[in-house]
Amino acid sequence: MEPSSEAISIGSHLSGIVDSVLVKAGDPAPKGTPLFTLDVRALKAQRSVAAAQVSQATAQVSVARESLTQARRRLDSANALNDPRAIANEERADRASEVSKLEASLASAQASVELAKAELGAVETDLERATVTSPIDGRVLQVRLRAGEFIDGGADSRLILGRTDPPVSYTHLTLPTILRV
């Protein structure tokens, strides 16, 4: 089958074992149509780990926030004492220092949550990319890909797409019609 457009060699962003080929030569492939999928078991395991890291980091934020709240209460109660003999200046300074340390600890825990969420997002993106879809409205011209085969991401293209609709013909137009356009 000859395409009316350039032939497009379809590959994958990821390397891996082909799980299933969802099309055959001659099939229509509207834009977004899944063409083949890669084995995603390792990515699903990574997603579980990343989700657990988000949960763990979120729990650490809660603990850090509670510790900071308690430290601020201790500092506020020390600052509320009017009698200088009630609490040593060193004790006040220690409490203020503890608040500062816990504020830094909370900021670090919040950054850990953001990092864990970003890692989870990266795995989710790879899971989406494991299903290769048609980039155009076209037709599958050639499939040299089978389930169980290894595909090298970015360098291995064994599925060819193209447009097969007839090219626009201008033979019915006369010269005056073409000049008016």
Side-chain angles (χ1 to χ4, degrees):
M1 197 177 299
E2 276 299 310
S4 62
S5 69
E6 294 289 322
I8 301 171
S9 297
I10 303 296
S12 170
H13 294 286
L14 305 173
S15 296
I17 302 295
V18 175
D19 188 50
S20 60
V21 179
L22 306 171
V23 294
K24 61 185 181 311
D27 284 353
K31 185 175 183 168
T33 300
L35 303 172
F36 65 91
T37 62
L38 298 177
D39 182 352
V40 294
R41 289 176 292 180
L43 289 171
K44 286 181 178 180
Q46 287 176 355
R47 179 177 55 192
S48 295
V49 169
Q53 289 172 336
V54 169
S55 296
Q56 181 183 26
T58 302
Q60 289 172 344
V61 166
S62 296
V63 169
R65 189 172 283 130
E66 182 58 31
S67 296
L68 178 59
T69 300
Q70 291 174 4
R72 283 183 177 152
R73 281 189 198 131
R74 286 191 299 274
L75 178 60
D76 290 345
S77 65
N79 289 335
L81 298 173
N82 295 329
D83 187 355
R85 296 172 294 170
I87 189 167
N89 286 337
E90 186 177 305
E91 177 65 22
R92 266 194 193 95
D94 287 347
R95 290 182 184 188
S97 176
E98 180 184 12
V99 166
S100 295
K101 287 178 186 175
L102 289 171
E103 286 172 340
S105 177
L106 176 59
S108 176
Q110 289 169 329
S112 293
V113 168
E114 294 307 311
L115 177 62
K117 285 180 179 179
E119 289 173 357
L120 179 59
V123 172
E124 292 289 349
T125 297
D126 281 347
L127 277 165
E128 288 176 24
R129 293 168 69 186
T131 298
V132 177
T133 61
S134 177
I136 63 166
D137 288 330
R139 186 167 296 278
V140 178
L141 303 176
Q142 187 177 73
V143 178
R144 296 177 295 139
L145 185 63
R146 304 289 174 260
E149 292 181 339
F150 180 81
I151 188 165
D152 190 10
D156 201 350
S157 57
R158 293 184 271 166
L159 196 143
I160 311 283
L161 285 183
R163 287 195 175 95
T164 56
D165 50 345
V168 177
S169 172
Y170 296 103
T171 58
H172 68 282
L173 298 176
T174 62
L175 188 55
T177 306
I178 293 172
L179 293 177
R180 273 189 273 147
V181 178

